mmCIF file of all heavy atoms in Angstrom:
data_model
loop_
_atom_site.group_PDB
_atom_site.id
_atom_site.type_symbol
_atom_site.label_atom_id
_atom_site.label_comp_id
_atom_site.label_asym_id
_atom_site.label_seq_id
_atom_site.Cartn_x
_atom_site.Cartn_y
_atom_site.Cartn_z
ATOM 1 N N PHE A 1 10.470 -7.332 -6.163
ATOM 2 C CA PHE A 1 9.707 -7.618 -5.047
ATOM 3 C C PHE A 1 9.028 -8.885 -5.250
ATOM 4 O O PHE A 1 8.836 -9.737 -4.209
ATOM 5 C CB PHE A 1 8.707 -6.467 -4.874
ATOM 6 C CG PHE A 1 9.174 -5.311 -4.170
ATOM 7 C CD1 PHE A 1 9.439 -4.075 -4.863
ATOM 8 C CD2 PHE A 1 9.590 -5.323 -2.839
ATOM 9 C CE1 PHE A 1 10.037 -3.019 -4.129
ATOM 10 C CE2 PHE A 1 10.001 -4.270 -2.018
ATOM 11 C CZ PHE A 1 10.200 -3.114 -2.757
ATOM 12 N N HIS A 2 8.583 -9.237 -6.469
ATOM 13 C CA HIS A 2 7.957 -10.476 -6.697
ATOM 14 C C HIS A 2 8.720 -11.656 -6.344
ATOM 15 O O HIS A 2 8.387 -12.660 -5.803
ATOM 16 C CB HIS A 2 7.503 -10.508 -8.135
ATOM 17 C CG HIS A 2 6.863 -11.902 -8.600
ATOM 18 N ND1 HIS A 2 5.629 -12.372 -8.334
ATOM 19 C CD2 HIS A 2 7.519 -12.810 -9.411
ATOM 20 C CE1 HIS A 2 5.586 -13.560 -8.819
ATOM 21 N NE2 HIS A 2 6.628 -13.912 -9.507
ATOM 22 N N LYS A 3 10.059 -11.535 -6.707
ATOM 23 C CA LYS A 3 11.041 -12.609 -6.444
ATOM 24 C C LYS A 3 11.165 -12.818 -4.945
ATOM 25 O O LYS A 3 11.503 -13.954 -4.532
ATOM 26 C CB LYS A 3 12.398 -12.239 -7.075
ATOM 27 C CG LYS A 3 12.504 -12.419 -8.569
ATOM 28 C CD LYS A 3 13.898 -12.735 -8.963
ATOM 29 C CE LYS A 3 14.917 -11.606 -8.660
ATOM 30 N NZ LYS A 3 16.227 -11.841 -9.200
ATOM 31 N N ARG A 4 10.934 -11.814 -4.211
ATOM 32 C CA ARG A 4 11.144 -11.998 -2.694
ATOM 33 C C ARG A 4 9.709 -12.416 -2.128
ATOM 34 O O ARG A 4 9.756 -12.571 -0.788
ATOM 35 C CB ARG A 4 11.374 -10.536 -2.063
ATOM 36 C CG ARG A 4 12.726 -9.966 -2.446
ATOM 37 C CD ARG A 4 13.930 -10.741 -1.746
ATOM 38 N NE ARG A 4 13.842 -10.651 -0.376
ATOM 39 C CZ ARG A 4 14.296 -9.731 0.426
ATOM 40 N NH1 ARG A 4 15.083 -8.704 -0.107
ATOM 41 N NH2 ARG A 4 14.132 -9.695 1.690
ATOM 42 N N GLY A 5 8.767 -12.768 -2.879
ATOM 43 C CA GLY A 5 7.525 -13.341 -2.432
ATOM 44 C C GLY A 5 6.485 -12.395 -2.070
ATOM 45 O O GLY A 5 5.456 -12.768 -1.469
ATOM 46 N N CYS A 6 6.562 -11.173 -2.517
ATOM 47 C CA CYS A 6 5.572 -10.174 -2.232
ATOM 48 C C CYS A 6 4.548 -10.210 -3.324
ATOM 49 O O CYS A 6 4.774 -10.453 -4.510
ATOM 50 C CB CYS A 6 6.173 -8.638 -2.166
ATOM 51 S SG CYS A 6 7.463 -8.433 -0.856
ATOM 52 N N HIS A 7 3.295 -9.852 -2.904
ATOM 53 C CA HIS A 7 2.221 -9.486 -3.920
ATOM 54 C C HIS A 7 2.411 -8.085 -4.325
ATOM 55 O O HIS A 7 2.544 -7.172 -3.574
ATOM 56 C CB HIS A 7 0.786 -9.720 -3.343
ATOM 57 C CG HIS A 7 -0.279 -9.472 -4.301
ATOM 58 N ND1 HIS A 7 -0.634 -10.415 -5.282
ATOM 59 C CD2 HIS A 7 -0.810 -8.242 -4.532
ATOM 60 C CE1 HIS A 7 -1.589 -9.861 -5.971
ATOM 61 N NE2 HIS A 7 -1.749 -8.554 -5.663
ATOM 62 N N VAL A 8 2.342 -7.894 -5.710
ATOM 63 C CA VAL A 8 2.636 -6.563 -6.244
ATOM 64 C C VAL A 8 1.558 -6.160 -7.206
ATOM 65 O O VAL A 8 1.026 -6.857 -7.995
ATOM 66 C CB VAL A 8 3.948 -6.547 -7.143
ATOM 67 C CG1 VAL A 8 4.416 -5.178 -7.511
ATOM 68 C CG2 VAL A 8 5.152 -7.287 -6.345
ATOM 69 N N GLU A 9 1.121 -4.786 -7.040
ATOM 70 C CA GLU A 9 0.181 -4.250 -7.827
ATOM 71 C C GLU A 9 0.769 -3.057 -8.473
ATOM 72 O O GLU A 9 1.536 -2.455 -7.968
ATOM 73 C CB GLU A 9 -1.128 -3.784 -7.037
ATOM 74 C CG GLU A 9 -1.927 -4.997 -6.452
ATOM 75 C CD GLU A 9 -2.660 -5.732 -7.528
ATOM 76 O OE1 GLU A 9 -2.757 -5.259 -8.641
ATOM 77 O OE2 GLU A 9 -3.355 -6.725 -7.183
ATOM 78 N N ARG A 10 0.181 -2.603 -9.625
ATOM 79 C CA ARG A 10 0.579 -1.460 -10.321
ATOM 80 C C ARG A 10 -0.180 -0.229 -10.082
ATOM 81 O O ARG A 10 0.166 0.947 -10.249
ATOM 82 C CB ARG A 10 0.586 -1.680 -11.862
ATOM 83 C CG ARG A 10 1.607 -2.563 -12.450
ATOM 84 C CD ARG A 10 1.587 -2.616 -13.959
ATOM 85 N NE ARG A 10 2.213 -1.502 -14.594
ATOM 86 C CZ ARG A 10 1.531 -0.667 -15.390
ATOM 87 N NH1 ARG A 10 0.326 -0.971 -15.881
ATOM 88 N NH2 ARG A 10 2.184 0.405 -15.940
ATOM 89 N N ASP A 11 -1.506 -0.550 -9.780
ATOM 90 C CA ASP A 11 -2.457 0.594 -9.591
ATOM 91 C C ASP A 11 -3.187 0.463 -8.234
ATOM 92 O O ASP A 11 -3.565 -0.543 -7.835
ATOM 93 C CB ASP A 11 -3.541 0.403 -10.780
ATOM 94 C CG ASP A 11 -4.445 1.649 -10.907
ATOM 95 O OD1 ASP A 11 -4.835 2.208 -9.847
ATOM 96 O OD2 ASP A 11 -4.707 2.017 -12.093
ATOM 97 N N GLU A 12 -3.189 1.685 -7.608
ATOM 98 C CA GLU A 12 -3.757 1.678 -6.329
ATOM 99 C C GLU A 12 -5.270 1.270 -6.104
ATOM 100 O O GLU A 12 -5.768 0.954 -5.134
ATOM 101 C CB GLU A 12 -3.558 3.014 -5.530
ATOM 102 C CG GLU A 12 -4.145 4.256 -6.096
ATOM 103 C CD GLU A 12 -3.747 5.536 -5.580
ATOM 104 O OE1 GLU A 12 -2.640 5.832 -5.495
ATOM 105 O OE2 GLU A 12 -4.774 6.242 -5.219
ATOM 106 N N ARG A 13 -5.939 1.322 -7.275
ATOM 107 C CA ARG A 13 -7.308 0.922 -7.424
ATOM 108 C C ARG A 13 -7.543 -0.546 -6.843
ATOM 109 O O ARG A 13 -8.596 -0.900 -6.366
ATOM 110 C CB ARG A 13 -7.847 0.914 -8.765
ATOM 111 C CG ARG A 13 -7.914 2.261 -9.376
ATOM 112 C CD ARG A 13 -8.418 2.058 -10.850
ATOM 113 N NE ARG A 13 -7.526 1.284 -11.678
ATOM 114 C CZ ARG A 13 -7.793 0.600 -12.797
ATOM 115 N NH1 ARG A 13 -9.128 0.452 -13.145
ATOM 116 N NH2 ARG A 13 -6.946 -0.125 -13.414
ATOM 117 N N PHE A 14 -6.451 -1.398 -7.079
ATOM 118 C CA PHE A 14 -6.440 -2.785 -6.650
ATOM 119 C C PHE A 14 -6.060 -3.022 -5.166
ATOM 120 O O PHE A 14 -5.953 -4.138 -4.678
ATOM 121 C CB PHE A 14 -5.738 -3.662 -7.599
ATOM 122 C CG PHE A 14 -6.216 -3.506 -9.020
ATOM 123 C CD1 PHE A 14 -5.425 -2.872 -9.885
ATOM 124 C CD2 PHE A 14 -7.495 -4.149 -9.371
ATOM 125 C CE1 PHE A 14 -5.864 -2.734 -11.220
ATOM 126 C CE2 PHE A 14 -7.918 -3.994 -10.601
ATOM 127 C CZ PHE A 14 -7.092 -3.362 -11.658
ATOM 128 N N LEU A 15 -5.764 -1.923 -4.385
ATOM 129 C CA LEU A 15 -5.307 -2.123 -3.088
ATOM 130 C C LEU A 15 -6.526 -2.271 -2.074
ATOM 131 O O LEU A 15 -6.256 -2.785 -1.040
ATOM 132 C CB LEU A 15 -4.539 -0.901 -2.622
ATOM 133 C CG LEU A 15 -3.153 -0.729 -3.340
ATOM 134 C CD1 LEU A 15 -2.602 0.539 -2.840
ATOM 135 C CD2 LEU A 15 -2.282 -1.934 -3.156
ATOM 136 N N GLU A 16 -7.746 -1.925 -2.498
ATOM 137 C CA GLU A 16 -8.777 -2.090 -1.639
ATOM 138 C C GLU A 16 -8.989 -3.450 -1.091
ATOM 139 O O GLU A 16 -9.395 -3.738 0.115
ATOM 140 C CB GLU A 16 -10.134 -1.676 -2.308
ATOM 141 C CG GLU A 16 -10.238 -0.136 -2.688
ATOM 142 C CD GLU A 16 -10.433 0.677 -1.437
ATOM 143 O OE1 GLU A 16 -10.703 0.088 -0.356
ATOM 144 O OE2 GLU A 16 -10.459 1.945 -1.531
ATOM 145 N N GLN A 17 -8.760 -4.427 -1.966
ATOM 146 C CA GLN A 17 -8.947 -5.945 -1.493
ATOM 147 C C GLN A 17 -7.918 -6.276 -0.374
ATOM 148 O O GLN A 17 -8.218 -7.371 0.257
ATOM 149 C CB GLN A 17 -8.917 -6.770 -2.719
ATOM 150 C CG GLN A 17 -7.551 -6.800 -3.427
ATOM 151 C CD GLN A 17 -7.638 -7.543 -4.739
ATOM 152 O OE1 GLN A 17 -7.806 -8.753 -4.707
ATOM 153 N NE2 GLN A 17 -7.496 -6.858 -5.954
ATOM 154 N N PHE A 18 -6.895 -5.600 -0.224
ATOM 155 C CA PHE A 18 -5.905 -5.918 0.765
ATOM 156 C C PHE A 18 -5.959 -4.979 1.991
ATOM 157 O O PHE A 18 -5.395 -5.370 3.012
ATOM 158 C CB PHE A 18 -4.521 -5.802 0.157
ATOM 159 C CG PHE A 18 -4.345 -6.635 -1.110
ATOM 160 C CD1 PHE A 18 -4.386 -6.095 -2.436
ATOM 161 C CD2 PHE A 18 -4.223 -8.034 -1.034
ATOM 162 C CE1 PHE A 18 -4.153 -6.837 -3.480
ATOM 163 C CE2 PHE A 18 -4.091 -8.861 -2.232
ATOM 164 C CZ PHE A 18 -4.008 -8.267 -3.413
ATOM 165 N N ALA A 19 -6.620 -3.811 1.891
ATOM 166 C CA ALA A 19 -6.606 -2.861 2.949
ATOM 167 C C ALA A 19 -7.538 -3.426 4.094
ATOM 168 O O ALA A 19 -8.372 -4.326 3.899
ATOM 169 C CB ALA A 19 -7.076 -1.499 2.447
ATOM 170 N N PRO A 20 -7.449 -2.871 5.316
ATOM 171 C CA PRO A 20 -6.523 -1.790 5.709
ATOM 172 C C PRO A 20 -5.186 -2.303 6.102
ATOM 173 O O PRO A 20 -4.991 -3.458 6.456
ATOM 174 C CB PRO A 20 -7.266 -1.187 6.809
ATOM 175 C CG PRO A 20 -7.937 -2.378 7.537
ATOM 176 C CD PRO A 20 -8.378 -3.193 6.417
ATOM 177 N N PHE A 21 -4.188 -1.412 6.032
ATOM 178 C CA PHE A 21 -2.784 -1.869 6.340
ATOM 179 C C PHE A 21 -2.470 -1.173 7.759
ATOM 180 O O PHE A 21 -2.846 -0.086 8.204
ATOM 181 C CB PHE A 21 -1.841 -1.281 5.361
ATOM 182 C CG PHE A 21 -2.060 -1.877 4.048
ATOM 183 C CD1 PHE A 21 -2.839 -1.332 3.038
ATOM 184 C CD2 PHE A 21 -1.433 -3.140 3.716
ATOM 185 C CE1 PHE A 21 -2.972 -1.861 1.785
ATOM 186 C CE2 PHE A 21 -1.560 -3.736 2.519
ATOM 187 C CZ PHE A 21 -2.390 -3.178 1.519
ATOM 188 N N ASP A 22 -1.641 -1.933 8.539
ATOM 189 C CA ASP A 22 -1.170 -1.428 9.858
ATOM 190 C C ASP A 22 -0.042 -0.478 9.727
ATOM 191 O O ASP A 22 0.131 0.425 10.487
ATOM 192 C CB ASP A 22 -0.719 -2.670 10.589
ATOM 193 C CG ASP A 22 -1.683 -3.635 10.962
ATOM 194 O OD1 ASP A 22 -2.560 -3.344 11.896
ATOM 195 O OD2 ASP A 22 -1.853 -4.680 10.309
ATOM 196 N N ILE A 23 0.704 -0.588 8.623
ATOM 197 C CA ILE A 23 1.863 0.328 8.291
ATOM 198 C C ILE A 23 1.972 0.627 6.789
ATOM 199 O O ILE A 23 1.824 -0.397 6.036
ATOM 200 C CB ILE A 23 3.112 -0.078 9.025
ATOM 201 C CG1 ILE A 23 4.245 0.882 8.645
ATOM 202 C CG2 ILE A 23 3.471 -1.522 8.572
ATOM 203 C CD1 ILE A 23 5.564 0.656 9.358
ATOM 204 N N ILE A 24 2.116 1.768 6.476
ATOM 205 C CA ILE A 24 2.455 2.225 5.000
ATOM 206 C C ILE A 24 3.752 2.854 4.903
ATOM 207 O O ILE A 24 3.869 3.854 5.755
ATOM 208 C CB ILE A 24 1.263 2.994 4.345
ATOM 209 C CG1 ILE A 24 -0.050 2.174 4.417
ATOM 210 C CG2 ILE A 24 1.560 3.373 3.022
ATOM 211 C CD1 ILE A 24 -1.357 2.939 3.987
ATOM 212 N N VAL A 25 4.689 2.375 4.159
ATOM 213 C CA VAL A 25 5.889 3.123 3.940
ATOM 214 C C VAL A 25 5.953 3.567 2.512
ATOM 215 O O VAL A 25 5.734 2.739 1.513
ATOM 216 C CB VAL A 25 7.075 2.233 4.299
ATOM 217 C CG1 VAL A 25 7.027 0.884 3.519
ATOM 218 C CG2 VAL A 25 8.462 3.038 4.072
ATOM 219 N N THR A 26 6.101 4.819 2.227
ATOM 220 C CA THR A 26 5.927 5.436 0.949
ATOM 221 C C THR A 26 6.798 6.689 0.805
ATOM 222 O O THR A 26 7.462 7.078 1.748
ATOM 223 C CB THR A 26 4.494 5.636 0.677
ATOM 224 O OG1 THR A 26 4.245 6.073 -0.737
ATOM 225 C CG2 THR A 26 3.934 6.770 1.418
ATOM 226 N N ARG A 27 6.637 7.354 -0.312
ATOM 227 C CA ARG A 27 7.376 8.630 -0.603
ATOM 228 C C ARG A 27 6.409 9.751 -0.107
ATOM 229 O O ARG A 27 5.254 9.597 0.012
ATOM 230 C CB ARG A 27 7.621 8.860 -2.040
ATOM 231 C CG ARG A 27 8.676 7.901 -2.632
ATOM 232 C CD ARG A 27 9.000 8.254 -4.064
ATOM 233 N NE ARG A 27 9.935 7.351 -4.741
ATOM 234 C CZ ARG A 27 11.312 7.201 -4.517
ATOM 235 N NH1 ARG A 27 11.744 8.233 -3.676
ATOM 236 N NH2 ARG A 27 12.044 6.407 -5.112
ATOM 237 N N ARG A 28 7.172 10.846 0.175
ATOM 238 C CA ARG A 28 6.312 11.976 0.578
ATOM 239 C C ARG A 28 5.498 12.404 -0.494
ATOM 240 O O ARG A 28 5.743 12.410 -1.670
ATOM 241 C CB ARG A 28 7.190 13.176 1.094
ATOM 242 C CG ARG A 28 8.088 12.819 2.235
ATOM 243 C CD ARG A 28 8.939 14.079 2.762
ATOM 244 N NE ARG A 28 9.647 13.738 3.862
ATOM 245 C CZ ARG A 28 9.290 13.780 5.093
ATOM 246 N NH1 ARG A 28 8.035 13.967 5.403
ATOM 247 N NH2 ARG A 28 10.148 13.408 6.199
ATOM 248 N N GLY A 29 4.279 12.856 -0.171
ATOM 249 C CA GLY A 29 3.322 13.385 -1.089
ATOM 250 C C GLY A 29 2.351 12.192 -1.643
ATOM 251 O O GLY A 29 1.403 12.620 -2.292
ATOM 252 N N SER A 30 2.528 10.965 -1.180
ATOM 253 C CA SER A 30 1.557 9.968 -1.600
ATOM 254 C C SER A 30 0.347 10.113 -0.770
ATOM 255 O O SER A 30 0.370 10.285 0.417
ATOM 256 C CB SER A 30 2.238 8.648 -1.429
ATOM 257 O OG SER A 30 3.535 8.402 -2.200
ATOM 258 N N ASN A 31 -0.746 9.892 -1.532
ATOM 259 C CA ASN A 31 -2.092 10.021 -0.859
ATOM 260 C C ASN A 31 -2.629 8.665 -0.568
ATOM 261 O O ASN A 31 -3.642 8.300 -1.353
ATOM 262 C CB ASN A 31 -3.049 10.914 -1.725
ATOM 263 C CG ASN A 31 -4.367 11.216 -1.098
ATOM 264 O OD1 ASN A 31 -4.431 11.125 0.160
ATOM 265 N ND2 ASN A 31 -5.271 11.466 -1.920
ATOM 266 N N LEU A 32 -2.224 7.991 0.356
ATOM 267 C CA LEU A 32 -2.667 6.576 0.526
ATOM 268 C C LEU A 32 -3.190 6.396 2.021
ATOM 269 O O LEU A 32 -3.454 5.274 2.424
ATOM 270 C CB LEU A 32 -1.376 5.707 0.424
ATOM 271 C CG LEU A 32 -0.687 5.648 -0.932
ATOM 272 C CD1 LEU A 32 0.569 4.835 -0.879
ATOM 273 C CD2 LEU A 32 -1.726 5.067 -1.939
ATOM 274 N N GLU A 33 -3.471 7.471 2.592
ATOM 275 C CA GLU A 33 -4.058 7.470 4.029
ATOM 276 C C GLU A 33 -5.280 6.587 4.049
ATOM 277 O O GLU A 33 -5.648 5.922 5.142
ATOM 278 C CB GLU A 33 -4.252 8.794 4.662
ATOM 279 C CG GLU A 33 -2.990 9.594 4.908
ATOM 280 C CD GLU A 33 -2.352 10.273 3.728
ATOM 281 O OE1 GLU A 33 -3.116 10.177 2.610
ATOM 282 O OE2 GLU A 33 -1.382 10.985 3.885
ATOM 283 N N ARG A 34 -6.148 6.604 3.032
ATOM 284 C CA ARG A 34 -7.387 5.882 3.015
ATOM 285 C C ARG A 34 -7.228 4.455 3.237
ATOM 286 O O ARG A 34 -8.169 3.664 3.455
ATOM 287 C CB ARG A 34 -8.195 6.296 1.761
ATOM 288 C CG ARG A 34 -7.580 5.838 0.517
ATOM 289 C CD ARG A 34 -8.375 6.284 -0.719
ATOM 290 N NE ARG A 34 -7.916 5.871 -1.996
ATOM 291 C CZ ARG A 34 -6.739 6.373 -2.510
ATOM 292 N NH1 ARG A 34 -6.055 7.347 -1.981
ATOM 293 N NH2 ARG A 34 -6.479 5.926 -3.774
ATOM 294 N N PHE A 35 -6.021 3.840 2.945
ATOM 295 C CA PHE A 35 -5.764 2.397 3.038
ATOM 296 C C PHE A 35 -5.223 1.990 4.381
ATOM 297 O O PHE A 35 -4.903 0.830 4.605
ATOM 298 C CB PHE A 35 -4.755 1.930 1.921
ATOM 299 C CG PHE A 35 -5.273 2.252 0.540
ATOM 300 C CD1 PHE A 35 -4.640 3.083 -0.326
ATOM 301 C CD2 PHE A 35 -6.364 1.542 0.099
ATOM 302 C CE1 PHE A 35 -5.147 3.270 -1.637
ATOM 303 C CE2 PHE A 35 -6.905 1.713 -1.252
ATOM 304 C CZ PHE A 35 -6.192 2.683 -2.050
ATOM 305 N N LEU A 36 -4.942 3.126 5.273
ATOM 306 C CA LEU A 36 -4.382 2.888 6.520
ATOM 307 C C LEU A 36 -5.403 2.517 7.623
ATOM 308 O O LEU A 36 -6.532 3.148 7.616
ATOM 309 C CB LEU A 36 -3.543 4.055 6.980
ATOM 310 C CG LEU A 36 -2.644 3.973 8.093
ATOM 311 C CD1 LEU A 36 -1.434 2.931 7.878
ATOM 312 C CD2 LEU A 36 -2.050 5.351 8.531
ATOM 313 N N LYS A 37 -5.154 1.549 8.377
ATOM 314 C CA LYS A 37 -6.037 1.230 9.521
ATOM 315 C C LYS A 37 -6.050 2.245 10.510
ATOM 316 O O LYS A 37 -5.104 3.057 10.726
ATOM 317 C CB LYS A 37 -5.534 -0.105 10.197
ATOM 318 C CG LYS A 37 -6.378 -0.684 11.365
ATOM 319 C CD LYS A 37 -5.780 -1.808 11.907
ATOM 320 C CE LYS A 37 -5.728 -3.112 11.080
ATOM 321 N NZ LYS A 37 -5.243 -4.276 11.690
ATOM 322 N N SER A 38 -7.187 2.453 11.149
ATOM 323 C CA SER A 38 -7.290 3.481 12.244
ATOM 324 C C SER A 38 -6.346 3.145 13.293
ATOM 325 O O SER A 38 -6.256 2.033 13.791
ATOM 326 C CB SER A 38 -8.714 3.424 12.818
ATOM 327 O OG SER A 38 -8.833 4.350 13.886
ATOM 328 N N GLY A 39 -5.441 4.074 13.608
ATOM 329 C CA GLY A 39 -4.323 3.977 14.585
ATOM 330 C C GLY A 39 -3.122 3.349 13.867
ATOM 331 O O GLY A 39 -2.147 3.179 14.582
ATOM 332 N N GLY A 40 -3.081 3.194 12.593
ATOM 333 C CA GLY A 40 -2.033 2.615 11.925
ATOM 334 C C GLY A 40 -0.932 3.677 11.747
ATOM 335 O O GLY A 40 -1.071 4.919 12.068
ATOM 336 N N ARG A 41 0.167 3.276 11.119
ATOM 337 C CA ARG A 41 1.375 4.207 11.055
ATOM 338 C C ARG A 41 1.759 4.413 9.580
ATOM 339 O O ARG A 41 1.837 3.439 8.782
ATOM 340 C CB ARG A 41 2.560 3.464 11.856
ATOM 341 C CG ARG A 41 3.766 4.506 11.898
ATOM 342 C CD ARG A 41 4.866 3.844 12.856
ATOM 343 N NE ARG A 41 6.005 4.831 12.899
ATOM 344 C CZ ARG A 41 6.984 4.639 13.589
ATOM 345 N NH1 ARG A 41 7.125 3.337 14.313
ATOM 346 N NH2 ARG A 41 8.029 5.447 13.739
ATOM 347 N N MET A 42 2.032 5.673 9.286
ATOM 348 C CA MET A 42 2.421 6.059 7.934
ATOM 349 C C MET A 42 3.921 6.538 8.105
ATOM 350 O O MET A 42 4.174 7.435 8.803
ATOM 351 C CB MET A 42 1.653 7.250 7.328
ATOM 352 C CG MET A 42 1.997 7.744 5.949
ATOM 353 S SD MET A 42 1.324 6.596 4.667
ATOM 354 C CE MET A 42 -0.436 6.949 4.722
ATOM 355 N N VAL A 43 4.724 5.969 7.321
ATOM 356 C CA VAL A 43 6.157 6.332 7.276
ATOM 357 C C VAL A 43 6.480 6.826 5.776
ATOM 358 O O VAL A 43 6.389 6.220 4.868
ATOM 359 C CB VAL A 43 7.060 5.133 7.513
ATOM 360 C CG1 VAL A 43 8.637 5.580 7.405
ATOM 361 C CG2 VAL A 43 6.795 4.552 8.860
#
């Protein structure tokens, strides 16, 4: 992903500085709703 120009983190603790997100795409069972913008989309 880094080679494609994305910023990559290992730990969700560091996602706060980038949130909120308009769309989150993840595996089932991931508890990431707190990083989603109100009205955003979870896939």
Side-chain angles (χ1 to χ4, degrees):
F1 278 108
H2 171 75
K3 283 206 301 185
R4 294 287 301 270
C6 300
H7 179 84
V8 191
E9 292 288 354
R10 291 186 73 234
D11 192 318
E12 62 185 53
R13 292 177 300 154
F14 301 108
L15 293 179
E16 291 286 356
Q17 60 187 294
F18 305 101
F21 295 95
D22 297 282
I23 177 171
I24 297 176
V25 55
T26 186
R27 295 190 182 279
R28 294 187 183 278
S30 298
N31 184 25
L32 299 172
E33 289 83 358
R34 65 189 183 281
F35 299 114
L36 191 65
K37 181 183 293 185
S38 177
R41 186 170 183 182
M42 180 80 73
V43 178

